[in-house]
Amino acid sequence: MNRLMIFIDAEYVVQKIKDFARKGKNIRRKDINWSNIIKWVAGKRQLIRCYYYSSEFSKEENLQTYQEQHEYLKNLKLNIPYFEVRLGRLVNVNQGWVQKGIDVKIALDMFSKAVANQYDTVALVSGDSDFAEVVSEIKERYGKHAELYTFDRSIHEVLRLAPDKHVIINPYTASKAGFWST
Protein backbone atom coordinates (compact mmCIF):
# COMPACT_ATOMS: atom_id res chain seq x y z
CA MET A 1 0.00 0.00 0.00
CA ASN A 2 1.24 3.51 -0.83
CA ARG A 3 2.05 5.32 2.43
CA LEU A 4 1.39 9.05 2.18
CA MET A 5 2.44 12.04 4.26
CA ILE A 6 0.99 15.49 3.60
CA PHE A 7 2.76 18.73 4.46
CA ILE A 8 0.54 21.83 4.38
CA ASP A 9 1.74 25.43 4.36
CA ALA A 10 -1.42 26.66 6.09
CA GLU A 11 -1.01 30.38 5.40
CA TYR A 12 -0.61 29.67 1.69
CA VAL A 13 -3.83 27.63 1.68
CA VAL A 14 -5.74 30.21 3.72
CA GLN A 15 -4.74 33.05 1.39
CA LYS A 16 -5.54 31.13 -1.79
CA ILE A 17 -8.94 29.98 -0.54
CA LYS A 18 -9.72 33.54 0.51
CA ASP A 19 -8.79 34.64 -3.01
CA PHE A 20 -11.08 31.98 -4.51
CA ALA A 21 -14.00 32.88 -2.29
CA ARG A 22 -13.67 36.68 -2.46
CA LYS A 23 -15.96 36.75 -5.41
CA GLY A 24 -18.89 35.84 -3.23
CA LYS A 25 -18.05 35.49 0.44
CA ASN A 26 -15.50 36.54 3.00
CA ILE A 27 -13.82 33.32 4.14
CA ARG A 28 -12.19 33.12 7.55
CA ARG A 29 -9.77 30.47 8.78
CA LYS A 30 -12.49 28.71 10.76
CA ASP A 31 -14.52 28.29 7.53
CA ILE A 32 -11.80 26.14 5.94
CA ASN A 33 -12.46 22.41 6.08
CA TRP A 34 -8.97 20.99 6.55
CA SER A 35 -10.35 17.47 6.83
CA ASN A 36 -11.83 17.67 3.32
CA ILE A 37 -8.58 19.05 1.91
CA ILE A 38 -6.63 16.18 3.48
CA LYS A 39 -9.12 13.56 2.24
CA TRP A 40 -9.03 15.03 -1.26
CA VAL A 41 -5.22 14.97 -1.42
CA ALA A 42 -4.98 11.48 0.13
CA GLY A 43 -7.61 9.86 -2.05
CA LYS A 44 -7.50 6.10 -1.49
CA ARG A 45 -3.93 6.04 -0.23
CA GLN A 46 -2.90 5.22 3.32
CA LEU A 47 -2.44 8.50 5.17
CA ILE A 48 0.37 8.12 7.66
CA ARG A 49 0.30 11.70 8.93
CA CYS A 50 -0.62 15.23 7.89
CA TYR A 51 1.47 18.14 9.12
CA TYR A 52 -0.05 21.62 9.31
CA TYR A 53 2.41 24.54 9.51
CA SER A 54 1.49 28.00 10.71
CA SER A 55 2.81 30.72 12.98
CA GLU A 56 1.90 31.15 16.59
CA PHE A 57 0.23 34.41 17.48
CA SER A 58 1.90 36.51 20.13
CA LYS A 59 0.55 36.07 23.64
CA GLU A 60 1.97 39.48 24.58
CA GLU A 61 0.41 41.32 21.62
CA ASN A 62 -3.10 39.96 22.02
CA LEU A 63 -3.90 37.30 24.62
CA GLN A 64 -7.42 36.73 23.28
CA THR A 65 -6.22 36.08 19.71
CA TYR A 66 -3.49 33.80 21.05
CA GLN A 67 -6.01 31.79 23.10
CA GLU A 68 -8.47 31.59 20.18
CA GLN A 69 -5.72 30.28 17.91
CA HIS A 70 -4.71 27.61 20.41
CA GLU A 71 -8.32 26.53 20.86
CA TYR A 72 -8.79 26.37 17.07
CA LEU A 73 -5.61 24.29 16.62
CA LYS A 74 -6.52 22.00 19.52
CA ASN A 75 -9.91 21.32 17.91
CA LEU A 76 -8.24 20.50 14.59
CA LYS A 77 -5.87 18.10 16.33
CA LEU A 78 -8.72 16.42 18.23
CA ASN A 79 -11.05 16.12 15.22
CA ILE A 80 -8.76 15.18 12.33
CA PRO A 81 -7.04 11.79 12.50
CA TYR A 82 -3.26 11.65 11.96
CA PHE A 83 -3.01 15.45 12.16
CA GLU A 84 -0.06 17.31 13.65
CA VAL A 85 0.46 21.04 14.13
CA ARG A 86 3.89 22.64 13.75
CA LEU A 87 4.17 26.30 14.71
CA GLY A 88 6.74 28.87 13.73
CA ARG A 89 6.82 32.39 15.03
CA LEU A 90 5.60 35.80 13.94
CA VAL A 91 8.01 38.71 13.90
CA ASN A 92 6.92 42.34 13.68
CA VAL A 93 8.87 43.91 10.82
CA ASN A 94 8.16 47.51 9.76
CA GLN A 95 4.66 47.58 11.26
CA GLY A 96 3.74 44.21 9.74
CA TRP A 97 3.91 40.59 10.85
CA VAL A 98 6.15 38.09 9.03
CA GLN A 99 6.28 34.32 9.51
CA LYS A 100 9.64 32.88 10.51
CA GLY A 101 10.79 29.28 10.62
CA ILE A 102 7.91 27.70 8.70
CA ASP A 103 9.77 26.77 5.50
CA VAL A 104 12.65 25.30 7.47
CA LYS A 105 10.27 23.20 9.59
CA ILE A 106 8.49 21.88 6.49
CA ALA A 107 11.74 21.05 4.69
CA LEU A 108 13.29 19.36 7.73
CA ASP A 109 10.19 17.27 8.40
CA MET A 110 9.83 16.22 4.76
CA PHE A 111 13.50 15.28 4.54
CA SER A 112 13.90 13.58 7.94
CA LYS A 113 10.79 11.46 7.39
CA ALA A 114 12.08 10.42 3.95
CA VAL A 115 15.42 9.44 5.52
CA ALA A 116 13.54 7.38 8.14
CA ASN A 117 11.47 5.75 5.33
CA GLN A 118 8.20 6.79 6.97
CA TYR A 119 6.39 7.36 3.67
CA ASP A 120 6.37 6.30 0.02
CA THR A 121 4.78 9.49 -1.32
CA VAL A 122 5.11 13.03 -0.06
CA ALA A 123 2.39 15.56 -0.86
CA LEU A 124 3.34 19.20 -0.41
CA VAL A 125 0.60 21.84 -0.40
CA SER A 126 2.48 25.08 -1.01
CA GLY A 127 3.50 27.47 -3.74
CA ASP A 128 6.92 28.40 -2.35
CA SER A 129 9.77 27.71 -4.77
CA ASP A 130 12.16 27.33 -1.83
CA PHE A 131 10.91 23.74 -1.57
CA ALA A 132 12.14 22.71 -5.03
CA GLU A 133 15.50 21.46 -3.81
CA VAL A 134 14.17 19.37 -0.95
CA VAL A 135 11.49 17.85 -3.21
CA SER A 136 14.14 16.94 -5.81
CA GLU A 137 16.46 15.51 -3.15
CA ILE A 138 13.70 13.37 -1.63
CA LYS A 139 12.92 11.94 -5.07
CA GLU A 140 16.47 11.36 -6.25
CA ARG A 141 18.25 10.31 -3.06
CA TYR A 142 15.48 8.32 -1.38
CA GLY A 143 13.33 7.22 -4.32
CA LYS A 144 10.16 8.74 -2.93
CA HIS A 145 7.28 9.91 -5.07
CA ALA A 146 6.67 13.64 -4.73
CA GLU A 147 3.44 15.50 -5.40
CA LEU A 148 2.85 19.22 -5.33
CA TYR A 149 -0.57 20.80 -4.82
CA THR A 150 -0.92 24.49 -5.66
CA PHE A 151 -3.80 26.87 -6.17
CA ASP A 152 -2.47 28.64 -9.22
CA ARG A 153 -0.28 28.19 -12.28
CA SER A 154 1.93 31.18 -11.49
CA ILE A 155 4.43 29.30 -9.34
CA HIS A 156 8.11 29.43 -10.21
CA GLU A 157 9.15 26.91 -12.85
CA VAL A 158 11.82 25.38 -10.60
CA LEU A 159 9.09 24.27 -8.17
CA ARG A 160 6.70 23.21 -10.91
CA LEU A 161 9.36 20.89 -12.39
CA ALA A 162 10.59 19.40 -9.09
CA PRO A 163 7.79 16.92 -8.20
CA ASP A 164 6.65 13.83 -10.07
CA LYS A 165 3.12 15.20 -10.13
CA HIS A 166 1.80 18.76 -9.94
CA VAL A 167 -1.89 19.29 -9.25
CA ILE A 168 -3.34 22.75 -9.69
CA ILE A 169 -6.43 23.23 -7.56
CA ASN A 170 -8.95 25.55 -9.18
CA PRO A 171 -11.88 27.31 -7.50
CA TYR A 172 -14.43 24.86 -8.92
CA THR A 173 -12.56 21.78 -7.64
CA ALA A 174 -11.92 23.35 -4.23
CA SER A 175 -15.58 24.37 -3.86
CA LYS A 176 -16.92 21.01 -5.05
CA ALA A 177 -14.59 19.11 -2.67
CA GLY A 178 -15.80 21.28 0.22
CA PHE A 179 -12.55 23.01 1.07
CA TRP A 180 -14.56 25.76 2.75
CA SER A 181 -18.00 26.29 4.24
CA THR A 182 -20.44 28.19 2.10
Side-chain angles (χ1 to χ4, degrees):
M1 171 144 270
N2 188 329
R3 299 171 304 146
L4 174 73
M5 281 193 174
I6 302 172
F7 298 83
I8 298 175
D9 180 346
E11 298 313 309
Y12 169 78
V13 174
V14 169
Q15 188 55 55
K16 293 302 179 178
I17 287 178
K18 282 182 177 185
D19 291 347
F20 282 177
R22 276 208 177 109
K23 296 167 180 78
K25 182 181 180 201
N26 185 23
I27 297 294
R28 296 185 313 182
R29 184 177 305 269
K30 69 178 188 166
D31 297 324
I32 296 175
N33 189 325
W34 296 101
S35 184
N36 283 356
I37 294 170
I38 294 163
K39 286 176 189 172
W40 185 83
V41 170
K44 296 183 188 287
R45 296 174 290 189
Q46 179 189 7
L47 178 64
I48 300 299
R49 185 111 22 248
C50 176
Y51 294 92
Y52 170 104
Y53 300 84
S54 188
S55 292
E56 186 172 41
F57 293 151
S58 169
K59 185 189 271 187
E60 291 74 30
E61 287 289 322
N62 187 327
L63 181 59
Q64 181 179 349
T65 303
Y66 171 85
Q67 290 171 332
E68 287 171 359
Q69 180 192 38
H70 277 266
E71 188 64 26
Y72 173 77
L73 294 174
K74 181 177 84 175
N75 285 332
L76 289 179
K77 175 84 174 112
L78 291 172
N79 293 307
I80 301 174
Y82 315 113
F83 188 84
E84 296 295 331
V85 174
R86 298 275 199 263
L87 296 175
R89 63 190 190 286
L90 286 173
V91 177
N92 195 344
V93 179
N94 298 330
Q95 307 300 323
W97 293 97
V98 177
Q99 289 192 101
K100 292 292 183 182
I102 300 299
D103 292 355
V104 171
K105 285 179 184 294
I106 294 172
L108 280 172
D109 283 349
M110 286 173 49
F111 193 80
S112 67
K113 288 162 187 354
V115 170
N117 196 29
Q118 293 180 356
Y119 61 78
D120 301 312
T121 301
V122 61
L124 173 64
V125 184
S126 179
D128 192 331
S129 63
D130 289 344
F131 294 118
E133 283 187 58
V134 73
V135 168
S136 295
E137 195 68 15
I138 286 167
K139 280 178 25 186
E140 298 306 314
R141 186 177 294 201
Y142 299 101
K144 304 301 182 185
H145 294 162
E147 299 175 356
L148 174 67
Y149 294 81
T150 63
F151 287 83
D152 56 39
R153 295 183 187 280
S154 63
I155 63 167
H156 195 280
E157 183 174 280
V158 71
L159 180 60
R160 193 171 57 241
L161 295 174
D164 298 303
K165 177 181 175 182
H166 177 206
V167 177
I168 300 168
I169 304 164
N170 62 42
Y172 174 78
T173 300
S175 177
K176 186 175 178 185
F179 285 13
W180 68 85
S181 303
T182 55

Short mmCIF file of all heavy atoms in Angstrom, two decimals, residues 17 20 40 151 169-180:
data_model
loop_
_atom_site.label_atom_id
_atom_site.label_comp_id
_atom_site.label_asym_id
_atom_site.label_seq_id
_atom_site.Cartn_x
_atom_site.Cartn_y
_atom_site.Cartn_z
N ILE A 17 -7.50 30.22 -0.67
CA ILE A 17 -8.94 29.98 -0.54
C ILE A 17 -9.69 31.29 -0.35
O ILE A 17 -10.76 31.48 -0.92
CB ILE A 17 -9.23 28.96 0.59
CG1 ILE A 17 -8.80 27.57 0.12
CG2 ILE A 17 -10.70 28.98 0.99
CD1 ILE A 17 -8.98 26.46 1.12
N PHE A 20 -10.04 32.69 -3.76
CA PHE A 20 -11.08 31.98 -4.51
C PHE A 20 -12.46 32.46 -4.11
O PHE A 20 -13.33 32.68 -4.94
CB PHE A 20 -11.02 30.47 -4.23
CG PHE A 20 -9.95 29.73 -4.97
CD1 PHE A 20 -9.78 28.38 -4.74
CD2 PHE A 20 -9.12 30.34 -5.89
CE1 PHE A 20 -8.80 27.66 -5.40
CE2 PHE A 20 -8.13 29.64 -6.55
CZ PHE A 20 -7.98 28.28 -6.31
N TRP A 40 -9.14 14.85 0.18
CA TRP A 40 -9.03 15.03 -1.26
C TRP A 40 -7.61 14.73 -1.75
O TRP A 40 -7.43 14.05 -2.76
CB TRP A 40 -9.46 16.46 -1.62
CG TRP A 40 -9.51 16.72 -3.08
CD1 TRP A 40 -10.54 16.43 -3.94
CD2 TRP A 40 -8.49 17.32 -3.88
NE1 TRP A 40 -10.21 16.82 -5.22
CE2 TRP A 40 -8.96 17.38 -5.20
CE3 TRP A 40 -7.23 17.84 -3.59
CZ2 TRP A 40 -8.21 17.91 -6.24
CZ3 TRP A 40 -6.48 18.37 -4.63
CH2 TRP A 40 -6.97 18.41 -5.93
N PHE A 151 -2.52 26.26 -5.84
CA PHE A 151 -3.80 26.87 -6.17
C PHE A 151 -3.71 27.80 -7.36
O PHE A 151 -4.66 28.52 -7.65
CB PHE A 151 -4.34 27.63 -4.95
CG PHE A 151 -4.83 26.72 -3.86
CD1 PHE A 151 -3.95 26.17 -2.95
CD2 PHE A 151 -6.18 26.40 -3.76
CE1 PHE A 151 -4.39 25.32 -1.95
CE2 PHE A 151 -6.63 25.55 -2.76
CZ PHE A 151 -5.73 25.02 -1.85
N ILE A 169 -5.07 23.22 -8.11
CA ILE A 169 -6.43 23.23 -7.56
C ILE A 169 -7.11 24.51 -8.02
O ILE A 169 -6.65 25.60 -7.74
CB ILE A 169 -6.39 23.16 -6.02
CG1 ILE A 169 -5.61 21.94 -5.56
CG2 ILE A 169 -7.81 23.17 -5.45
CD1 ILE A 169 -5.20 21.97 -4.10
N ASN A 170 -8.22 24.37 -8.72
CA ASN A 170 -8.95 25.55 -9.18
C ASN A 170 -10.15 25.81 -8.27
O ASN A 170 -10.51 24.96 -7.45
CB ASN A 170 -9.36 25.39 -10.65
CG ASN A 170 -10.31 24.23 -10.88
OD1 ASN A 170 -11.23 23.99 -10.10
ND2 ASN A 170 -10.09 23.47 -11.95
N PRO A 171 -10.76 26.97 -8.38
CA PRO A 171 -11.88 27.31 -7.50
C PRO A 171 -13.04 26.31 -7.57
O PRO A 171 -13.63 25.97 -6.54
CB PRO A 171 -12.33 28.69 -7.98
CG PRO A 171 -11.12 29.27 -8.63
CD PRO A 171 -10.38 28.12 -9.24
N TYR A 172 -13.32 25.81 -8.78
CA TYR A 172 -14.43 24.86 -8.92
C TYR A 172 -14.14 23.57 -8.14
O TYR A 172 -14.97 23.09 -7.39
CB TYR A 172 -14.67 24.55 -10.40
CG TYR A 172 -15.71 23.47 -10.60
CD1 TYR A 172 -17.07 23.76 -10.48
CD2 TYR A 172 -15.32 22.16 -10.89
CE1 TYR A 172 -18.02 22.76 -10.65
CE2 TYR A 172 -16.26 21.17 -11.06
CZ TYR A 172 -17.61 21.46 -10.93
OH TYR A 172 -18.55 20.48 -11.08
N THR A 173 -12.94 23.02 -8.33
CA THR A 173 -12.56 21.78 -7.64
C THR A 173 -12.57 21.98 -6.13
O THR A 173 -13.09 21.14 -5.39
CB THR A 173 -11.16 21.34 -8.10
OG1 THR A 173 -11.18 21.11 -9.50
CG2 THR A 173 -10.70 20.07 -7.38
N ALA A 174 -12.00 23.07 -5.67
CA ALA A 174 -11.92 23.35 -4.23
C ALA A 174 -13.32 23.49 -3.63
O ALA A 174 -13.61 22.96 -2.56
CB ALA A 174 -11.12 24.60 -3.98
N SER A 175 -14.22 24.17 -4.34
CA SER A 175 -15.58 24.37 -3.86
C SER A 175 -16.34 23.03 -3.85
O SER A 175 -16.99 22.68 -2.86
CB SER A 175 -16.30 25.37 -4.74
OG SER A 175 -17.63 25.52 -4.32
N LYS A 176 -16.21 22.29 -4.94
CA LYS A 176 -16.92 21.01 -5.05
C LYS A 176 -16.44 20.01 -3.99
O LYS A 176 -17.23 19.22 -3.47
CB LYS A 176 -16.73 20.43 -6.45
CG LYS A 176 -17.53 19.19 -6.72
CD LYS A 176 -17.39 18.74 -8.14
CE LYS A 176 -18.20 17.47 -8.34
NZ LYS A 176 -18.03 16.90 -9.63
N ALA A 177 -15.14 20.04 -3.68
CA ALA A 177 -14.59 19.11 -2.67
C ALA A 177 -14.84 19.60 -1.24
O ALA A 177 -14.49 18.91 -0.30
CB ALA A 177 -13.09 18.95 -2.91
N GLY A 178 -15.45 20.77 -1.11
CA GLY A 178 -15.80 21.28 0.22
C GLY A 178 -14.64 21.79 1.03
O GLY A 178 -14.57 21.60 2.25
N PHE A 179 -13.71 22.47 0.36
CA PHE A 179 -12.55 23.01 1.07
C PHE A 179 -12.94 24.13 2.04
O PHE A 179 -12.18 24.44 2.94
CB PHE A 179 -11.52 23.55 0.08
CG PHE A 179 -10.72 22.49 -0.63
CD1 PHE A 179 -11.06 21.16 -0.62
CD2 PHE A 179 -9.60 22.85 -1.35
CE1 PHE A 179 -10.31 20.20 -1.29
CE2 PHE A 179 -8.84 21.91 -2.03
CZ PHE A 179 -9.20 20.58 -2.00
N TRP A 180 -14.09 24.73 1.84
CA TRP A 180 -14.56 25.76 2.75
C TRP A 180 -16.07 25.71 2.88
O TRP A 180 -16.76 25.18 2.01
CB TRP A 180 -14.10 27.16 2.33
CG TRP A 180 -14.71 27.70 1.08
CD1 TRP A 180 -15.89 28.36 0.94
CD2 TRP A 180 -14.16 27.64 -0.25
NE1 TRP A 180 -16.11 28.71 -0.37
CE2 TRP A 180 -15.06 28.28 -1.12
CE3 TRP A 180 -13.00 27.10 -0.79
CZ2 TRP A 180 -14.84 28.39 -2.49
CZ3 TRP A 180 -12.77 27.22 -2.15
CH2 TRP A 180 -13.68 27.86 -2.97
#
